[in-house]
Amino acid sequence: MEFGDSFLSNENQELARSASESAEPLSVSPLQISVNTKSPKWPKSPRPPNSPRSPKAHGKLGTSKGSPSKGSLLKYDRDGCSKIDGEGTWGGLLDAEYNYSVDPSDPKYDCNEECDHRTGRKFTVDFEEYKKKTTIIVEEYFATDDIVSTADELSELGMPGYNYYFVKKLISMAMDRHDKEKEMAAVLLSALYADIIDPSQVHKGFSKLVESSDDLIVDIPDTVDILALFIARAVVDDILPPAFLKKQMASLPAESKGVDVLKRAEKGYLAAPLHAEIIERRWGGSKNKTVEDVNANINNLLVEYLVSDDKKEAFRCIKDLNVPFFHHEIIKRAIIMAMERQQAEGQLLDLLKDAAQEGLINTSQITKGFNRIIDAVDDLSLDIPDARGILQSLISKAASEGWLSASSLKSLSLAPVKQPLEDNATKIFKTKAQFIIQEYFLSGDISEVSSCLESENGNGVAELNAVFVKRLITLAMDRKNREKEMASVLLSSLCFPADDVLNGFVMLIESADDTALDNPVVVEDLAMFLARAVVDEVLAPQHLEEIESQFLGLESIGSKVLRMANSLLKARLSGERILRCWGGAGSSRPGWAVEDVKDKIGKLLEEYDSGGDIREASRCIKELNMPFFHHEIVKKALVTIIEKKNERLWRLLNESFCSGLITSYQMMKGFGRVAETLDDLALDVPDAKKQFVHYVEKAKVAGWLDSSFCFDKSGHDIENGTCP
């Protein structure tokens, strides 16, 4: 539909176009104009008897056929233009409000302009009503903080084509209020996005805000900074695409304040390190439960269950807590309560048994809960006589009922055993570990570190591995990016068990308060090391949940580190960004994404296999400068050898090992990864397992693999080296 410029302002034309584009063809608004069914351009719109435009509702207006009077019905001819017809009336609503009448005999009468003017007037009435209701909805939301009610009220307006104005109004009102309202506005937009407010309306609302920056700054002096932060927050919350900034900037005059807003959002917020965490916490962040609240709720639900014996209600309360990673606290408190109130023992064990059988509490949380009690049994003995004996009895009952694996628990001796705070062996190892790490930062020789650790901790004691991880990262945090990158590379190359690395990080977080005295950015550093460990596959994502369960408090260092690490990992292109966080590969050159490295490895192996030079292939491996990722070369080469039954690549592996380019650790890791994929490989190569066994033995003879390396019949490598 086109609008006559002589009757409609630019704003009304824009409103009309917006409503036309978003209106549903079959929807009927209270202000929709009834038209002649002869018109081919307009469907007939039903009109109820109580309509404001119905003659029954406004019978006082004339309906004489003699001459057109005020209130005469305008009908549409075949061209869709308005004409006077005495068979009906518009009713009093439009005419009384605008006092508008038309004389078709007037020489200046233009049917096109008349049609367009009335259509635009209808949109203006709708939009003015929408604006009033929107203001009320926003005010009520700031007063109640009720997202559900706000969403319902906005949906009931039934004008989705005007929702861009809601976005603009919500943010402009929040900009002139406290941080609480700003955070509420950001949370509401994220909640309504796509479900209630179409993405195009969000985009348009922010566009209108940027365009009106020059007007907003008159009343809000900090408009540039506040609006820039709203835009950055929208990008972080994924309700605005990053491309919005460049596209919008191209459409604005150079001297516009909107340009300053977009530049501030891009360079001041989105380009900053760890920007997502900073932006999300700028106005106080989201509301989270504290560990005290959760503990209190757990205690209350257990007490209520003992009184009512209502399992369904207890299960509902557990679900409502919405903290599955903290269910070990339920186990711990329920068992302690059973130890204190032995008459309630059967009732509490029955609750835990059913919760485990229904999958409400998983086995790892059950084990962790019992282990926490075992760790605290000496303290419990002060208040509960024979606490050890009672706990042992409860463990036996739970194991006999099948919901607890006693073999996965820590040992529980009948007599308390006091462990020294730190034995001499650990002290000596700490001192030597510091020398090893300092030497590594100077030489960059990973194989030397491996040899030293093997001589100092040949048995692979888990506690000493965790101590080394803690010492390595502590020393790296106090140095430059080069050493931080080297520490991450070393951690990936050492092939420590994931639990040992996890314990090292837990120890780091526990001592973070002391570290913060010398390193104010300890939270950011630890979060980056933790995220890097996940990207390098040293830790699995679920390990973060285990750490989080031990540091649930909102203001605790551990909670802050975990939130920031999760934010880094969820960001767009997180793997590439995290790999490059310290320059990549221990040098000033930016690192590559994992996908790029895999692609380069595949190409260099393919080139060598097709007749390439072994020296050229070795040079390409060196240029990758990612020794911690050489297990990928071993894996790809071995898979190709098995598939093609061509041992040309075996010569490359042998040359790389003999020259020290690929270490035995990387060889072991590569062979182990192939062992894990043998079942899939056997689908294409039936004798894959047989070939793999042959090459394992051949690698042992060549000294690539330790003689203890073995794998089970299903193809999985066995870490302790015990062959079946």
Side-chain angles (χ1 to χ4, degrees):
M1 181 183 293
E2 297 179 356
F3 297 88
D5 294 337
S6 58
F7 284 93
L8 291 178
S9 68
N10 291 334
E11 181 181 1
N12 285 339
Q13 289 182 46
E14 174 65 22
L15 295 174
R17 275 195 297 271
S18 175
S20 296
E21 292 169 359
S22 60
E24 297 179 6
L26 300 179
S27 64
V28 181
S29 139
L31 292 175
Q32 185 168 348
I33 300 174
S34 177
V35 298
N36 193 342
T37 57
K38 293 181 180 180
S39 172
K41 298 183 179 181
W42 298 86
K44 182 175 180 180
S45 301
R47 183 173 61 196
N50 59 351
S51 169
R53 296 186 292 276
S54 172
K56 293 180 182 180
H58 298 277
K60 65 179 181 178
L61 296 176
T63 60
S64 172
K65 295 182 180 181
S67 61
S69 62
K70 178 182 177 182
S72 294
L73 177 63
L74 288 176
K75 298 183 74 175
Y76 288 82
D77 63 13
R78 292 176 63 84
D79 296 323
C81 302
S82 54
K83 299 190 296 186
I84 300 294
D85 193 321
E87 295 181 358
T89 67
W90 278 108
L93 179 63
L94 295 179
D95 292 320
E97 201 168 326
Y98 291 91
N99 193 24
Y100 184 84
S101 62
V102 175
D103 183 2
S105 61
D106 190 330
K108 296 183 178 179
Y109 171 74
D110 185 338
C111 71
N112 290 321
E113 291 181 350
E114 172 62 16
C115 176
D116 291 345
H117 177 61
R118 288 187 176 275
T119 307
R121 189 167 63 189
K122 170 207 167 211
F123 290 140
T124 304
V125 172
D126 284 352
F127 185 61
E128 290 300 323
E129 186 67 20
Y130 180 90
K131 286 168 67 175
K132 293 176 184 177
K133 291 181 178 179
T134 294
T135 304
I136 295 172
I137 291 173
V138 174
E139 291 283 4
E140 288 181 353
Y141 171 65
F142 285 151
T144 63
D145 195 14
D146 190 339
I147 293 176
V148 176
S149 296
T150 304
D152 291 341
E153 290 173 6
L154 189 60
S155 297
E156 288 171 3
L157 291 182
M159 302 180 188
Y162 295 150
N163 281 345
Y164 73 89
Y165 180 80
F166 176 83
V167 175
K168 178 182 176 183
K169 191 66 177 175
L170 173 68
I171 294 177
S172 60
M173 290 176 67
M175 287 171 65
D176 202 25
R177 301 198 179 204
H178 297 295
D179 284 354
K180 176 190 173 187
E181 286 78 11
K182 293 183 179 75
E183 177 66 21
M184 288 172 64
V187 171
L188 179 63
L189 281 181
S190 184
L192 300 183
Y193 179 75
D195 293 331
I196 306 296
I197 303 178
D198 189 77
S200 63
Q201 293 290 309
V202 175
H203 188 285
K204 186 174 180 181
F206 275 97
S207 296
K208 295 288 184 185
L209 279 164
V210 174
E211 291 167 4
S212 61
S213 298
D214 294 294
D215 297 328
L216 289 171
I217 205 166
V218 175
D219 300 317
I220 309 172
D222 295 333
T223 289
V224 172
D225 187 65
I226 298 174
L227 184 53
L229 189 52
F230 266 111
I231 292 172
R233 175 65 178 268
V235 172
V236 169
D237 289 342
D238 287 332
I239 63 174
L240 265 188
F244 169 84
L245 285 80
K246 290 185 179 179
K247 290 182 179 179
Q248 194 66 25
M249 199 177 299
S251 66
L252 294 172
E255 66 278 4
S256 170
K257 287 293 181 185
V259 174
D260 295 337
V261 170
L262 296 170
K263 287 181 178 177
R264 178 72 61 85
E266 182 178 18
K267 298 179 180 178
Y269 291 111
L270 294 173
L274 308 177
H275 65 272
E277 179 70 17
I278 294 171
I279 291 169
E280 287 179 349
R281 296 296 162 189
R282 183 63 181 268
W283 293 319
S286 58
K287 295 161 284 188
N288 291 299
K289 296 176 182 177
T290 64
V291 65
E292 292 78 11
D293 293 336
V294 177
N295 285 338
N297 289 336
I298 291 172
N299 192 69
N300 290 339
L301 78 85
L302 290 174
V303 171
E304 186 176 339
Y305 166 69
L306 289 178
V307 174
S308 65
D309 199 24
D310 188 345
K311 286 183 188 175
K312 290 184 178 179
E313 179 62 19
F315 290 167
R316 185 192 65 79
C317 292
I318 293 173
K319 290 177 182 176
D320 287 347
L321 287 175
N322 196 25
V323 285
F325 55 85
F326 202 60
H327 282 170
H328 56 80
E329 183 69 19
I330 299 174
I331 300 294
K332 177 188 173 186
R333 287 180 177 269
I335 295 300
I336 291 176
M337 197 173 286
M339 294 170 68
E340 293 174 337
R341 311 178 187 183
Q342 294 191 26
Q343 70 277 10
E345 177 184 300
Q347 192 177 353
L348 288 166
L349 289 179
D350 194 40
L351 174 70
L352 297 181
K353 174 186 174 183
D354 288 354
Q357 289 177 345
E358 292 188 15
L360 189 59
I361 302 177
N362 62 42
T363 54
S364 66
Q365 293 293 308
I366 294 172
T367 300
K368 185 176 288 188
F370 272 95
N371 280 333
R372 289 183 63 198
I373 301 172
I374 292 172
D375 290 338
V377 71
D378 290 334
D379 294 331
L380 290 173
S381 298
L382 300 176
D383 301 316
I384 305 173
D386 194 26
R388 289 177 178 273
I390 297 173
L391 178 57
Q392 186 64 60
S393 172
L394 293 175
I395 290 174
S396 300
K397 289 179 181 178
S400 65
E401 291 175 351
W403 55 276
L404 173 66
S405 174
S407 61
S408 63
L409 298 179
K410 297 178 180 179
S411 61
L412 177 65
S413 58
L414 295 178
V417 178
K418 293 186 178 180
Q419 297 288 344
L421 292 177
E422 187 175 41
D423 57 25
N424 290 331
T426 304
K427 288 182 179 179
I428 294 171
F429 180 80
K430 279 185 175 182
T431 304
K432 291 184 177 180
Q434 179 148 338
F435 286 124
I436 293 171
I437 295 167
Q438 289 173 340
E439 181 66 26
Y440 167 67
F441 286 155
L442 293 174
S443 67
D445 191 342
I446 295 176
S447 59
E448 180 65 23
V449 176
S450 300
S451 300
C452 293
L453 284 177
E454 190 172 349
S455 62
E456 298 297 337
N457 185 23
N459 295 326
V461 179
E463 290 77 5
L464 297 185
N465 286 341
V467 167
F468 185 84
V469 171
K470 177 187 175 184
R471 200 65 190 156
L472 172 65
I473 296 176
T474 300
L475 291 173
M477 286 194 299
D478 200 28
R479 299 190 177 215
K480 297 181 180 179
N481 284 350
R482 173 183 175 273
E483 285 77 12
K484 291 175 183 175
E485 176 67 22
M486 291 176 70
S488 289
V489 170
L490 178 61
L491 197 59
S492 177
S493 303
L494 291 177
C495 300
F496 282 161
D499 287 342
D500 297 354
V501 178
L502 179 69
N503 290 333
F505 273 103
V506 170
M507 293 164 63
L508 279 163
I509 294 172
E510 288 173 344
S511 62
D513 288 320
D514 295 332
T515 308
L517 299 175
D518 301 317
N519 181 9
V521 292
V522 63
V523 172
E524 290 83 351
D525 281 350
L526 279 178
M528 187 60 78
F529 270 111
L530 198 54
R532 177 64 180 268
V534 173
V535 170
D536 288 341
E537 298 182 358
V538 176
L539 292 177
Q542 57 263 33
H543 286 128
L544 300 187
E545 295 181 8
E546 293 188 33
I547 299 176
E548 189 174 11
S549 66
Q550 301 183 43
F551 303 97
L552 189 63
L554 179 62
E555 297 304 319
S556 70
I557 291 284
S559 181
K560 291 178 181 177
V561 170
L562 263 296
R563 286 199 303 270
M564 189 171 291
N566 282 320
S567 178
L568 290 168
L569 291 167
K570 290 177 182 177
R572 185 171 174 268
L573 302 176
S574 60
E576 183 175 357
R577 291 179 178 178
I578 293 169
L579 279 175
R580 296 183 179 185
C581 62
W582 293 310
S587 69
S588 58
R589 176 183 58 77
W592 286 310
V594 173
E595 293 76 11
D596 293 338
V597 178
K598 288 183 177 180
D599 184 56
K600 289 178 182 294
I601 289 172
K603 287 180 179 178
L604 79 86
L605 291 177
E606 183 180 351
E607 183 177 341
Y608 174 74
D609 194 35
S610 61
D613 181 59
I614 195 167
R615 287 178 296 180
E616 178 64 18
S618 299
R619 185 186 63 79
C620 291
I621 294 174
K622 288 178 183 177
E623 286 185 353
L624 286 176
N625 202 15
M626 298 183 78
F628 59 91
F629 205 58
H630 284 171
H631 55 79
E632 180 71 16
I633 299 173
V634 179
K635 177 196 170 187
K636 284 185 178 292
L638 192 54
V639 168
T640 303
I641 292 169
I642 292 174
E643 288 177 340
K644 294 185 177 181
K645 294 181 171 62
N646 182 353
E647 295 193 359
R648 179 174 171 79
L649 286 173
W650 188 268
R651 291 196 291 273
L652 176 62
L653 292 179
N654 186 61
E655 177 65 24
S656 299
F657 178 78
C658 293
S659 64
L661 191 58
I662 299 180
T663 66
S664 58
Y665 285 95
Q666 294 296 310
M667 283 288 187
M668 182 181 67
K669 196 169 183 180
F671 271 82
R673 291 181 63 197
V674 175
E676 293 171 358
T677 61
L678 277 179
D679 291 334
D680 295 331
L681 191 58
L683 298 176
D684 300 318
V685 185
D687 64 340
K689 292 184 180 179
K690 182 179 179 181
Q691 287 193 63
F692 182 70
V693 171
H694 166 70
Y695 287 119
V696 167
E697 294 304 320
K698 192 173 180 179
K700 289 180 179 178
V701 172
W704 302 359
L705 298 176
D706 189 85
S707 58
S708 62
F709 179 86
C710 197
F711 61 97
D712 58 26
K713 293 181 180 179
S714 63
H716 299 100
D717 59 303
I718 301 174
E719 293 182 0
N720 61 12
T722 304
C723 296

